[in-house]
Short mmCIF file of all heavy atoms in Angstrom, two decimals:
data_model
loop_
_atom_site.label_atom_id
_atom_site.label_comp_id
_atom_site.label_asym_id
_atom_site.label_seq_id
_atom_site.Cartn_x
_atom_site.Cartn_y
_atom_site.Cartn_z
N LYS A 1193 22.42 25.88 14.01
CA LYS A 1193 22.35 26.13 15.55
C LYS A 1193 21.22 27.14 15.72
O LYS A 1193 20.54 27.11 16.72
CB LYS A 1193 23.71 26.49 16.00
CG LYS A 1193 23.78 26.38 17.52
CD LYS A 1193 25.14 26.58 17.97
CE LYS A 1193 25.25 26.10 19.38
NZ LYS A 1193 26.57 25.84 19.91
N SER A 1194 21.15 28.22 14.84
CA SER A 1194 20.26 29.25 14.98
C SER A 1194 18.83 28.72 15.07
O SER A 1194 17.93 29.08 15.80
CB SER A 1194 20.37 30.28 13.88
OG SER A 1194 19.40 31.25 14.07
N LEU A 1195 18.53 27.77 14.16
CA LEU A 1195 17.21 27.15 14.03
C LEU A 1195 16.81 26.37 15.30
O LEU A 1195 15.72 26.51 15.79
CB LEU A 1195 17.16 26.25 12.82
CG LEU A 1195 15.73 25.55 12.65
CD1 LEU A 1195 14.60 26.56 12.42
CD2 LEU A 1195 15.79 24.55 11.38
N ALA A 1196 17.80 25.78 15.86
CA ALA A 1196 17.58 25.03 17.12
C ALA A 1196 17.20 26.02 18.22
O ALA A 1196 16.31 25.80 19.09
CB ALA A 1196 18.85 24.26 17.51
N TYR A 1197 17.89 27.19 18.25
CA TYR A 1197 17.49 28.20 19.31
C TYR A 1197 16.17 28.78 19.09
O TYR A 1197 15.37 29.02 20.08
CB TYR A 1197 18.55 29.32 19.36
CG TYR A 1197 19.84 28.96 19.80
CD1 TYR A 1197 21.09 29.23 19.13
CD2 TYR A 1197 19.98 28.32 21.08
CE1 TYR A 1197 22.26 28.92 19.70
CE2 TYR A 1197 21.21 27.92 21.60
CZ TYR A 1197 22.41 28.31 20.89
OH TYR A 1197 23.64 27.96 21.43
N THR A 1198 15.80 29.02 17.79
CA THR A 1198 14.44 29.49 17.56
C THR A 1198 13.40 28.47 17.95
O THR A 1198 12.41 28.85 18.51
CB THR A 1198 14.35 29.78 16.01
OG1 THR A 1198 15.30 30.77 15.62
CG2 THR A 1198 12.99 30.33 15.58
N LYS A 1199 13.63 27.22 17.72
CA LYS A 1199 12.66 26.20 17.94
C LYS A 1199 12.56 26.10 19.59
O LYS A 1199 11.35 25.88 20.03
CB LYS A 1199 12.98 24.79 17.42
CG LYS A 1199 12.69 24.78 15.88
CD LYS A 1199 12.97 23.50 15.26
CE LYS A 1199 12.61 23.48 13.81
NZ LYS A 1199 12.88 22.23 13.21
N LYS A 1200 13.58 26.21 20.24
CA LYS A 1200 13.60 26.17 21.72
C LYS A 1200 12.83 27.42 22.22
O LYS A 1200 12.01 27.35 23.14
CB LYS A 1200 15.00 26.12 22.24
CG LYS A 1200 15.07 25.99 23.71
CD LYS A 1200 14.39 24.66 24.23
CE LYS A 1200 14.56 24.53 25.77
NZ LYS A 1200 13.86 23.37 26.24
N SER A 1201 13.00 28.53 21.56
CA SER A 1201 12.25 29.77 21.99
C SER A 1201 10.73 29.56 21.81
O SER A 1201 9.99 29.94 22.65
CB SER A 1201 12.79 30.92 21.13
OG SER A 1201 14.10 31.27 21.53
N ILE A 1202 10.43 28.94 20.66
CA ILE A 1202 8.99 28.65 20.42
C ILE A 1202 8.42 27.87 21.51
O ILE A 1202 7.32 28.05 22.07
CB ILE A 1202 8.85 27.99 19.05
CG1 ILE A 1202 9.07 29.10 17.92
CG2 ILE A 1202 7.42 27.40 18.93
CD1 ILE A 1202 9.15 28.50 16.55
N GLU A 1203 9.15 26.75 21.86
CA GLU A 1203 8.72 25.84 22.95
C GLU A 1203 8.57 26.68 24.33
O GLU A 1203 7.60 26.45 24.92
CB GLU A 1203 9.70 24.78 23.10
CG GLU A 1203 9.45 23.72 24.20
CD GLU A 1203 10.53 22.66 24.27
OE1 GLU A 1203 11.18 22.31 23.25
OE2 GLU A 1203 10.87 22.37 25.40
N ASN A 1204 9.54 27.50 24.54
CA ASN A 1204 9.43 28.34 25.85
C ASN A 1204 8.31 29.25 25.78
O ASN A 1204 7.62 29.42 26.86
CB ASN A 1204 10.76 29.05 26.06
CG ASN A 1204 11.88 28.12 26.45
OD1 ASN A 1204 11.72 26.93 26.92
ND2 ASN A 1204 13.05 28.50 26.12
N TYR A 1205 8.02 29.86 24.78
CA TYR A 1205 6.90 30.89 24.73
C TYR A 1205 5.58 30.16 24.85
O TYR A 1205 4.67 30.59 25.51
CB TYR A 1205 6.98 31.74 23.41
CG TYR A 1205 7.99 32.84 23.46
CD1 TYR A 1205 8.97 32.90 22.53
CD2 TYR A 1205 8.04 33.78 24.50
CE1 TYR A 1205 9.96 33.83 22.53
CE2 TYR A 1205 9.01 34.72 24.56
CZ TYR A 1205 9.95 34.78 23.58
OH TYR A 1205 10.91 35.77 23.58
N ARG A 1206 5.48 28.93 24.13
CA ARG A 1206 4.18 28.16 24.20
C ARG A 1206 4.08 27.77 25.71
O ARG A 1206 2.93 27.69 26.21
CB ARG A 1206 4.31 26.97 23.36
CG ARG A 1206 4.13 27.36 21.92
CD ARG A 1206 3.90 26.12 21.09
NE ARG A 1206 3.53 26.49 19.65
CZ ARG A 1206 3.97 25.88 18.58
NH1 ARG A 1206 4.73 24.83 18.65
NH2 ARG A 1206 3.53 26.32 17.46
N ASN A 1207 5.14 27.37 26.31
CA ASN A 1207 4.98 26.94 27.78
C ASN A 1207 4.55 28.09 28.62
O ASN A 1207 3.64 27.95 29.47
CB ASN A 1207 6.43 26.45 28.20
CG ASN A 1207 6.39 26.05 29.70
OD1 ASN A 1207 5.50 25.29 30.08
ND2 ASN A 1207 7.38 26.52 30.47
N ILE A 1208 5.03 29.23 28.49
CA ILE A 1208 4.63 30.41 29.28
C ILE A 1208 3.16 30.72 29.04
O ILE A 1208 2.40 30.87 29.95
CB ILE A 1208 5.38 31.75 28.77
CG1 ILE A 1208 6.86 31.60 29.28
CG2 ILE A 1208 4.82 32.99 29.30
CD1 ILE A 1208 7.79 32.61 28.73
N LEU A 1209 2.66 30.67 27.77
CA LEU A 1209 1.33 30.96 27.38
C LEU A 1209 0.37 29.97 27.93
O LEU A 1209 -0.75 30.18 28.53
CB LEU A 1209 1.05 31.12 25.92
CG LEU A 1209 1.78 32.35 25.28
CD1 LEU A 1209 1.79 32.18 23.81
CD2 LEU A 1209 1.22 33.69 25.76
N GLN A 1210 0.75 28.62 27.93
CA GLN A 1210 -0.06 27.57 28.45
C GLN A 1210 -0.17 27.51 29.91
O GLN A 1210 -1.22 27.31 30.53
CB GLN A 1210 0.37 26.26 27.86
CG GLN A 1210 -0.44 25.14 28.29
CD GLN A 1210 -0.03 23.86 27.61
OE1 GLN A 1210 0.82 23.75 26.75
NE2 GLN A 1210 -0.65 22.73 28.03
N ASN A 1211 1.05 27.61 30.53
CA ASN A 1211 1.17 27.43 32.05
C ASN A 1211 1.03 28.62 32.88
O ASN A 1211 0.80 28.54 34.10
CB ASN A 1211 2.43 26.66 32.27
CG ASN A 1211 2.47 25.23 31.67
OD1 ASN A 1211 1.40 24.55 31.75
ND2 ASN A 1211 3.48 24.96 30.87
N TYR A 1212 1.23 29.84 32.26
CA TYR A 1212 1.23 31.03 33.10
C TYR A 1212 0.33 32.12 32.43
O TYR A 1212 0.83 33.19 32.00
CB TYR A 1212 2.68 31.53 33.24
CG TYR A 1212 3.57 30.54 33.79
CD1 TYR A 1212 4.41 29.69 33.04
CD2 TYR A 1212 3.60 30.29 35.16
CE1 TYR A 1212 5.30 28.84 33.54
CE2 TYR A 1212 4.53 29.39 35.78
CZ TYR A 1212 5.28 28.65 34.95
OH TYR A 1212 6.13 27.72 35.47
N PRO A 1213 -1.03 31.89 32.32
CA PRO A 1213 -1.88 32.81 31.58
C PRO A 1213 -1.92 34.11 32.21
O PRO A 1213 -2.38 35.11 31.55
CB PRO A 1213 -3.18 32.09 31.62
CG PRO A 1213 -3.18 31.13 32.77
CD PRO A 1213 -1.62 30.64 32.87
N ASN A 1214 -1.63 34.33 33.48
CA ASN A 1214 -1.69 35.54 34.12
C ASN A 1214 -0.30 36.29 34.26
O ASN A 1214 -0.15 37.33 34.90
CB ASN A 1214 -2.26 35.43 35.51
CG ASN A 1214 -3.70 34.94 35.47
OD1 ASN A 1214 -4.41 35.34 34.69
ND2 ASN A 1214 -3.96 34.02 36.42
N TYR A 1215 0.69 35.75 33.59
CA TYR A 1215 2.00 36.30 33.51
C TYR A 1215 1.85 37.78 32.87
O TYR A 1215 1.15 37.96 31.92
CB TYR A 1215 2.85 35.49 32.59
CG TYR A 1215 4.28 35.96 32.35
CD1 TYR A 1215 5.18 36.16 33.41
CD2 TYR A 1215 4.68 36.21 31.00
CE1 TYR A 1215 6.47 36.62 33.09
CE2 TYR A 1215 6.01 36.65 30.74
CZ TYR A 1215 6.92 36.87 31.76
OH TYR A 1215 8.14 37.33 31.54
N PRO A 1216 2.44 38.71 33.57
CA PRO A 1216 2.18 40.17 33.20
C PRO A 1216 2.69 40.50 31.78
O PRO A 1216 2.25 41.50 31.26
CB PRO A 1216 2.91 41.01 34.30
CG PRO A 1216 3.67 40.00 35.06
CD PRO A 1216 3.23 38.66 34.77
N ARG A 1217 3.45 39.61 31.24
CA ARG A 1217 4.06 39.98 29.91
C ARG A 1217 3.59 38.96 28.84
O ARG A 1217 4.21 38.66 27.85
CB ARG A 1217 5.58 39.91 29.96
CG ARG A 1217 6.08 41.14 30.90
CD ARG A 1217 7.52 41.11 31.19
NE ARG A 1217 8.35 41.33 29.97
CZ ARG A 1217 9.65 41.30 30.03
NH1 ARG A 1217 10.27 41.14 31.15
NH2 ARG A 1217 10.35 41.43 28.88
N VAL A 1218 2.34 38.46 29.03
CA VAL A 1218 1.69 37.58 28.04
C VAL A 1218 1.70 38.20 26.61
O VAL A 1218 1.99 37.49 25.68
CB VAL A 1218 0.37 37.09 28.48
CG1 VAL A 1218 -0.41 36.34 27.41
CG2 VAL A 1218 0.41 36.24 29.63
N ALA A 1219 1.37 39.42 26.50
CA ALA A 1219 1.35 40.09 25.24
C ALA A 1219 2.75 39.98 24.49
O ALA A 1219 2.79 39.72 23.34
CB ALA A 1219 0.82 41.50 25.29
N GLU A 1220 3.71 40.24 25.25
CA GLU A 1220 5.06 40.08 24.64
C GLU A 1220 5.32 38.66 24.31
O GLU A 1220 5.91 38.42 23.18
CB GLU A 1220 6.11 40.54 25.71
CG GLU A 1220 6.45 42.03 25.69
CD GLU A 1220 7.60 42.30 26.58
OE1 GLU A 1220 8.70 41.86 26.34
OE2 GLU A 1220 7.32 42.90 27.66
N ALA A 1221 4.98 37.71 25.06
CA ALA A 1221 5.18 36.37 24.69
C ALA A 1221 4.38 35.94 23.50
O ALA A 1221 4.98 35.24 22.55
CB ALA A 1221 4.69 35.40 25.84
N LEU A 1222 3.19 36.42 23.26
CA LEU A 1222 2.37 36.16 22.12
C LEU A 1222 3.10 36.78 20.83
O LEU A 1222 3.29 36.21 19.82
CB LEU A 1222 1.06 36.81 22.21
CG LEU A 1222 0.02 35.96 22.82
CD1 LEU A 1222 -1.23 36.79 23.12
CD2 LEU A 1222 -0.36 34.75 21.98
N PHE A 1223 3.64 38.06 21.05
CA PHE A 1223 4.29 38.73 19.99
C PHE A 1223 5.51 37.91 19.48
O PHE A 1223 5.77 37.74 18.27
CB PHE A 1223 4.66 40.17 20.31
CG PHE A 1223 5.42 40.93 19.36
CD1 PHE A 1223 4.70 41.57 18.32
CD2 PHE A 1223 6.81 40.95 19.31
CE1 PHE A 1223 5.36 42.27 17.37
CE2 PHE A 1223 7.52 41.60 18.29
CZ PHE A 1223 6.72 42.33 17.33
N PHE A 1224 6.42 37.62 20.46
CA PHE A 1224 7.52 36.98 20.06
C PHE A 1224 7.30 35.46 19.58
O PHE A 1224 8.15 35.05 18.74
CB PHE A 1224 8.59 36.99 21.19
CG PHE A 1224 9.15 38.42 21.37
CD1 PHE A 1224 8.86 39.17 22.47
CD2 PHE A 1224 10.00 38.94 20.36
CE1 PHE A 1224 9.39 40.48 22.61
CE2 PHE A 1224 10.50 40.22 20.52
CZ PHE A 1224 10.22 40.96 21.65
N LEU A 1225 6.32 34.81 20.13
CA LEU A 1225 6.01 33.55 19.60
C LEU A 1225 5.62 33.64 18.15
O LEU A 1225 6.16 32.91 17.26
CB LEU A 1225 4.88 32.91 20.38
CG LEU A 1225 4.31 31.52 19.83
CD1 LEU A 1225 5.36 30.46 19.73
CD2 LEU A 1225 3.17 31.12 20.71
N ALA A 1226 4.76 34.62 17.89
CA ALA A 1226 4.30 34.80 16.36
C ALA A 1226 5.50 35.13 15.55
O ALA A 1226 5.68 34.54 14.41
CB ALA A 1226 3.35 35.90 16.37
N PHE A 1227 6.41 35.96 16.00
CA PHE A 1227 7.66 36.34 15.33
C PHE A 1227 8.44 35.09 14.98
O PHE A 1227 8.93 34.99 13.84
CB PHE A 1227 8.45 37.35 16.01
CG PHE A 1227 9.61 37.90 15.30
CD1 PHE A 1227 9.57 38.93 14.48
CD2 PHE A 1227 10.84 37.33 15.61
CE1 PHE A 1227 10.62 39.36 13.80
CE2 PHE A 1227 12.07 37.69 14.90
CZ PHE A 1227 11.91 38.78 14.08
N MET A 1228 8.70 34.31 15.96
CA MET A 1228 9.50 33.05 15.83
C MET A 1228 8.80 32.12 14.91
O MET A 1228 9.52 31.47 14.06
CB MET A 1228 9.76 32.36 17.12
CG MET A 1228 10.58 33.30 18.18
SD MET A 1228 12.26 33.37 17.60
CE MET A 1228 12.89 34.58 18.86
N LEU A 1229 7.58 32.00 14.99
CA LEU A 1229 6.82 30.99 14.18
C LEU A 1229 6.98 31.47 12.68
O LEU A 1229 7.14 30.65 11.82
CB LEU A 1229 5.29 30.94 14.58
CG LEU A 1229 5.05 30.15 15.83
CD1 LEU A 1229 3.53 30.41 16.26
CD2 LEU A 1229 5.25 28.61 15.62
N ASN A 1230 6.89 32.73 12.51
CA ASN A 1230 6.99 33.26 11.11
C ASN A 1230 8.37 32.99 10.61
O ASN A 1230 8.60 32.71 9.48
CB ASN A 1230 6.64 34.79 11.08
CG ASN A 1230 6.61 35.25 9.68
OD1 ASN A 1230 5.72 34.80 8.94
ND2 ASN A 1230 7.40 36.20 9.31
N ASP A 1231 9.41 33.14 11.49
CA ASP A 1231 10.78 32.98 11.11
C ASP A 1231 11.14 31.49 10.61
O ASP A 1231 11.94 31.34 9.86
CB ASP A 1231 11.54 33.26 12.36
CG ASP A 1231 13.05 33.62 12.02
OD1 ASP A 1231 13.15 34.33 10.98
OD2 ASP A 1231 13.93 33.29 12.72
N VAL A 1232 10.27 30.52 11.15
CA VAL A 1232 10.53 29.07 10.83
C VAL A 1232 9.56 28.61 9.76
O VAL A 1232 9.45 27.43 9.47
CB VAL A 1232 10.49 28.09 12.00
CG1 VAL A 1232 11.67 28.42 12.98
CG2 VAL A 1232 9.21 28.10 12.71
N GLY A 1233 8.77 29.63 9.23
CA GLY A 1233 7.90 29.21 8.08
C GLY A 1233 6.51 28.87 8.44
O GLY A 1233 5.74 28.31 7.60
N GLN A 1234 6.15 29.08 9.69
CA GLN A 1234 4.74 28.64 10.13
C GLN A 1234 3.86 29.89 10.06
O GLN A 1234 3.38 30.39 11.06
CB GLN A 1234 4.87 27.99 11.49
CG GLN A 1234 5.60 26.69 11.47
CD GLN A 1234 5.61 26.04 12.87
OE1 GLN A 1234 4.93 26.39 13.75
NE2 GLN A 1234 6.50 25.03 13.01
N GLU A 1235 3.79 30.43 8.89
CA GLU A 1235 3.01 31.69 8.66
C GLU A 1235 1.61 31.63 9.24
O GLU A 1235 1.10 32.67 9.89
CB GLU A 1235 3.07 32.14 7.26
CG GLU A 1235 4.36 32.59 6.71
CD GLU A 1235 5.18 31.38 6.12
OE1 GLU A 1235 4.63 30.31 6.12
OE2 GLU A 1235 6.37 31.54 5.77
N LYS A 1236 0.84 30.64 8.92
CA LYS A 1236 -0.56 30.55 9.43
C LYS A 1236 -0.64 30.62 10.90
O LYS A 1236 -1.55 31.48 11.44
CB LYS A 1236 -1.18 29.27 8.83
CG LYS A 1236 -2.52 28.90 9.49
CD LYS A 1236 -3.69 29.56 8.80
CE LYS A 1236 -5.02 29.06 9.25
NZ LYS A 1236 -5.49 29.58 10.48
N GLU A 1237 0.18 29.86 11.63
CA GLU A 1237 0.13 29.87 13.09
C GLU A 1237 0.63 31.25 13.58
O GLU A 1237 0.06 31.76 14.60
CB GLU A 1237 0.90 28.73 13.64
CG GLU A 1237 0.64 28.63 15.11
CD GLU A 1237 1.35 27.35 15.70
OE1 GLU A 1237 1.94 26.56 15.03
OE2 GLU A 1237 1.27 27.20 16.96
N ALA A 1238 1.59 31.80 12.88
CA ALA A 1238 2.07 33.07 13.29
C ALA A 1238 0.96 34.22 13.17
O ALA A 1238 0.80 34.92 14.11
CB ALA A 1238 3.33 33.56 12.48
N LEU A 1239 0.28 34.13 12.12
CA LEU A 1239 -0.82 35.11 11.89
C LEU A 1239 -1.91 34.88 12.98
O LEU A 1239 -2.43 35.84 13.51
CB LEU A 1239 -1.43 34.84 10.52
CG LEU A 1239 -2.51 35.92 10.09
CD1 LEU A 1239 -1.92 37.38 10.17
CD2 LEU A 1239 -2.87 35.58 8.66
N ASP A 1240 -2.21 33.66 13.26
CA ASP A 1240 -3.22 33.36 14.39
C ASP A 1240 -2.70 33.96 15.68
O ASP A 1240 -3.51 34.51 16.46
CB ASP A 1240 -3.29 31.85 14.60
CG ASP A 1240 -4.11 31.21 13.47
OD1 ASP A 1240 -4.69 31.92 12.61
OD2 ASP A 1240 -4.03 29.92 13.29
N MET A 1241 -1.41 33.90 15.95
CA MET A 1241 -0.92 34.47 17.26
C MET A 1241 -0.93 35.96 17.25
O MET A 1241 -1.31 36.62 18.14
CB MET A 1241 0.49 34.03 17.50
CG MET A 1241 0.67 32.52 17.83
SD MET A 1241 -0.26 32.08 19.27
CE MET A 1241 -1.41 30.99 18.71
N TYR A 1242 -0.55 36.56 16.09
CA TYR A 1242 -0.70 38.10 15.95
C TYR A 1242 -2.17 38.56 16.11
O TYR A 1242 -2.44 39.52 16.79
CB TYR A 1242 -0.17 38.55 14.57
CG TYR A 1242 1.31 38.56 14.55
CD1 TYR A 1242 1.96 37.97 13.43
CD2 TYR A 1242 2.14 39.21 15.43
CE1 TYR A 1242 3.34 38.01 13.32
CE2 TYR A 1242 3.48 39.26 15.33
CZ TYR A 1242 4.13 38.67 14.21
OH TYR A 1242 5.46 38.68 14.10
N ASN A 1243 -3.11 37.79 15.57
CA ASN A 1243 -4.53 38.19 15.65
C ASN A 1243 -4.98 38.06 17.06
O ASN A 1243 -5.75 38.86 17.58
CB ASN A 1243 -5.40 37.24 14.75
CG ASN A 1243 -5.28 37.68 13.28
OD1 ASN A 1243 -5.06 38.82 12.93
ND2 ASN A 1243 -5.45 36.84 12.40
N LYS A 1244 -4.50 36.99 17.76
CA LYS A 1244 -4.89 36.77 19.19
C LYS A 1244 -4.35 37.98 19.99
O LYS A 1244 -5.04 38.45 20.87
CB LYS A 1244 -4.40 35.48 19.64
CG LYS A 1244 -4.73 35.15 21.02
CD LYS A 1244 -4.30 33.80 21.57
CE LYS A 1244 -4.72 33.47 22.97
NZ LYS A 1244 -4.31 32.12 23.36
N LEU A 1245 -3.17 38.40 19.75
CA LEU A 1245 -2.54 39.47 20.42
C LEU A 1245 -3.37 40.72 20.30
O LEU A 1245 -3.65 41.37 21.34
CB LEU A 1245 -1.07 39.64 19.96
CG LEU A 1245 -0.41 40.90 20.34
CD1 LEU A 1245 -0.29 40.94 21.98
CD2 LEU A 1245 1.00 41.03 19.75
N VAL A 1246 -3.69 41.13 18.98
CA VAL A 1246 -4.51 42.30 18.73
C VAL A 1246 -5.90 42.31 19.35
O VAL A 1246 -6.28 43.26 19.97
CB VAL A 1246 -4.55 42.56 17.24
CG1 VAL A 1246 -5.42 43.69 16.94
CG2 VAL A 1246 -3.16 42.85 16.64
N ARG A 1247 -6.52 41.07 19.34
CA ARG A 1247 -7.81 40.89 19.83
C ARG A 1247 -7.80 41.00 21.43
O ARG A 1247 -8.66 41.63 22.06
CB ARG A 1247 -8.47 39.68 19.40
CG ARG A 1247 -9.08 39.70 18.05
CD ARG A 1247 -9.91 38.45 17.86
NE ARG A 1247 -9.46 37.18 18.44
CZ ARG A 1247 -8.56 36.33 17.85
NH1 ARG A 1247 -8.15 36.61 16.63
NH2 ARG A 1247 -8.19 35.22 18.45
N THR A 1248 -6.88 40.31 22.03
CA THR A 1248 -6.82 40.10 23.44
C THR A 1248 -6.21 41.27 24.27
O THR A 1248 -6.60 41.64 25.29
CB THR A 1248 -6.07 38.82 23.84
OG1 THR A 1248 -6.71 37.83 23.02
CG2 THR A 1248 -6.32 38.49 25.34
N TYR A 1249 -5.15 41.90 23.54
CA TYR A 1249 -4.44 42.95 24.18
C TYR A 1249 -4.27 44.13 23.24
O TYR A 1249 -3.15 44.52 22.89
CB TYR A 1249 -3.02 42.43 24.64
CG TYR A 1249 -3.03 41.31 25.44
CD1 TYR A 1249 -2.94 39.97 24.95
CD2 TYR A 1249 -3.23 41.41 26.83
CE1 TYR A 1249 -3.00 38.79 25.84
CE2 TYR A 1249 -3.32 40.26 27.63
CZ TYR A 1249 -3.24 39.01 27.16
OH TYR A 1249 -3.30 37.88 27.95
N PRO A 1250 -5.37 44.76 22.86
CA PRO A 1250 -5.36 45.83 21.91
C PRO A 1250 -4.55 47.13 22.38
O PRO A 1250 -4.06 47.81 21.57
CB PRO A 1250 -6.79 46.23 21.69
CG PRO A 1250 -7.57 45.77 22.93
CD PRO A 1250 -6.76 44.52 23.34
N GLU A 1251 -4.39 47.17 23.68
CA GLU A 1251 -3.69 48.36 24.25
C GLU A 1251 -2.14 48.09 24.38
O GLU A 1251 -1.39 48.98 24.69
CB GLU A 1251 -4.22 48.80 25.58
CG GLU A 1251 -5.73 49.22 25.46
CD GLU A 1251 -5.92 50.33 24.46
OE1 GLU A 1251 -5.19 51.35 24.49
OE2 GLU A 1251 -7.03 50.28 23.74
N SER A 1252 -1.71 46.90 24.13
CA SER A 1252 -0.34 46.58 24.23
C SER A 1252 0.58 47.33 23.22
O SER A 1252 0.08 47.39 22.03
CB SER A 1252 -0.20 45.07 24.07
OG SER A 1252 1.21 44.77 23.91
N PRO A 1253 1.71 47.72 23.67
CA PRO A 1253 2.56 48.41 22.61
C PRO A 1253 2.92 47.48 21.45
O PRO A 1253 3.14 47.90 20.33
CB PRO A 1253 3.80 48.74 23.45
CG PRO A 1253 3.40 48.86 24.85
CD PRO A 1253 2.21 47.89 24.96
N LYS A 1254 2.87 46.11 21.75
CA LYS A 1254 3.16 45.18 20.71
C LYS A 1254 2.07 45.12 19.65
O LYS A 1254 2.33 44.92 18.54
CB LYS A 1254 3.42 43.74 21.31
CG LYS A 1254 4.62 43.67 22.31
CD LYS A 1254 5.92 44.01 21.59
CE LYS A 1254 7.12 43.83 22.48
NZ LYS A 1254 8.34 44.48 21.97
N SER A 1255 0.79 45.27 20.17
CA SER A 1255 -0.38 45.27 19.22
C SER A 1255 -0.24 46.53 18.29
O SER A 1255 -0.55 46.42 17.10
CB SER A 1255 -1.62 45.44 19.92
OG SER A 1255 -1.98 44.16 20.57
N VAL A 1256 0.23 47.60 18.76
CA VAL A 1256 0.45 48.82 17.94
C VAL A 1256 1.40 48.60 16.85
O VAL A 1256 1.18 49.00 15.68
CB VAL A 1256 0.79 49.98 18.86
CG1 VAL A 1256 1.10 51.19 17.92
CG2 VAL A 1256 -0.30 50.38 19.77
N LEU A 1257 2.42 47.72 17.04
CA LEU A 1257 3.43 47.50 16.07
C LEU A 1257 2.81 46.61 15.01
O LEU A 1257 3.27 46.74 13.77
CB LEU A 1257 4.60 46.66 16.68
CG LEU A 1257 5.42 47.28 17.62
CD1 LEU A 1257 6.36 46.37 18.25
CD2 LEU A 1257 6.19 48.48 16.97
N ILE A 1258 1.79 45.92 15.18
CA ILE A 1258 1.16 45.14 14.20
C ILE A 1258 0.16 45.91 13.36
O ILE A 1258 0.09 45.66 12.14
CB ILE A 1258 0.53 43.91 14.88
CG1 ILE A 1258 1.52 43.01 15.52
CG2 ILE A 1258 -0.28 43.02 13.83
CD1 ILE A 1258 0.95 42.00 16.53
N ASP A 1259 -0.59 46.73 14.03
CA ASP A 1259 -1.65 47.53 13.25
C ASP A 1259 -1.06 48.37 12.22
O ASP A 1259 -0.51 48.66 11.47
CB ASP A 1259 -2.31 48.42 14.33
CG ASP A 1259 -3.78 48.06 14.44
OD1 ASP A 1259 -4.28 47.02 13.84
OD2 ASP A 1259 -4.47 48.67 15.31
#
């Protein structure tokens, strides 16, 4: 059941990023999407999301956690 919730979270975060690019918490969505992707074994895609977060939102508190 936990895996199903994680996969649903991934779907929801992708939806936010795709459909709401001006959402004020996009950096958080990227961070948590990367975290969830890593959790389900999609390390390459997770790393891509973490890199996008750091490049696009370097001042975000979530970026500081990665650095």
